Amino acid sequence: MNLNVLDKVFQKVKSHLISKSKYSPHIVKSVPLKPKYPLVVVSEIDNYEIERTTLNEEIIDGYIYEFDIYAANKEEGSNKIAGVEIARELAGLIDEVMKRGGAKRMFARPTPNVARTLFRMTMRYRIN
């Protein structure tokens, strides 16, 4: 079981979002007590064995990573930017990093959120 993959995925996504996004997102591994928006929460959903050798040694792992993006409407001067627009920009940047790393997107869709002032999008990727 390789426990370092989450850290590598997290660092690559965080670095890319900070350098490329115009919305200054906060990227974390767990939901913070006092969140700042836009917020991206990175989670390892599954870390599973795909194949073993005949000596019963683990040789290939699979991983599933989830990204929850939370975005509130934002005002920049006289411009109003919808949370959905901010979330879609972040989703595109996450997609760039994950695909470059060989991950396959399982889904990317809006997710109902308790706070109606926030737009939430969930993306899930598989790495084999």
Side-chain angles (χ1 to χ4, degrees):
M1 175 185 276
N2 189 338
L3 301 175
N4 298 322
V5 179
L6 173 60
D7 290 330
K8 290 177 184 176
V9 168
F10 177 78
Q11 289 304 324
K12 285 184 180 188
V13 169
K14 182 176 181 175
S15 174
H16 192 67
L17 291 180
I18 289 172
S19 68
K20 300 289 184 183
S21 177
K22 55 186 168 189
Y23 299 112
S24 302
H26 298 272
I27 303 96
V28 297
K29 291 183 190 174
S30 63
V31 179
L33 293 174
K34 294 184 179 183
K36 297 178 184 176
Y37 302 102
L39 173 68
V40 177
V41 180
V42 182
S43 306
E44 185 174 74
I45 299 301
D46 205 352
N47 184 329
Y48 57 95
E49 291 180 8
I50 294 175
E51 194 174 324
R52 288 177 170 236
T53 65
T54 55
L55 298 175
N56 212 23
E57 298 168 345
E58 187 177 326
I59 59 168
I60 299 175
D61 287 335
Y63 309 90
I64 297 177
Y65 292 98
E66 187 169 273
F67 300 86
D68 281 303
I69 303 167
Y70 300 86
N73 295 341
K74 187 175 184 171
E75 290 187 32
E76 288 183 350
S78 61
N79 292 336
K80 292 185 180 182
I81 304 164
V84 63
E85 184 178 328
I86 296 167
R88 288 179 59 80
E89 184 227 55
L90 296 172
L93 293 171
I94 291 168
D95 205 54
E96 288 174 8
V97 173
M98 295 304 288
K99 284 185 175 178
R100 193 177 320 131
K104 294 190 187 317
R105 188 177 63 245
M106 299 169 70
F107 65 81
R109 62 178 172 233
T111 305
N113 193 34
V114 186
R116 295 181 186 242
T117 58
L118 292 173
F119 178 81
R120 179 179 173 199
M121 175 181 254
T122 302
M123 304 174 75
R124 193 171 282 180
Y125 291 85
R126 183 178 64 240
I127 300 173
N128 292 5

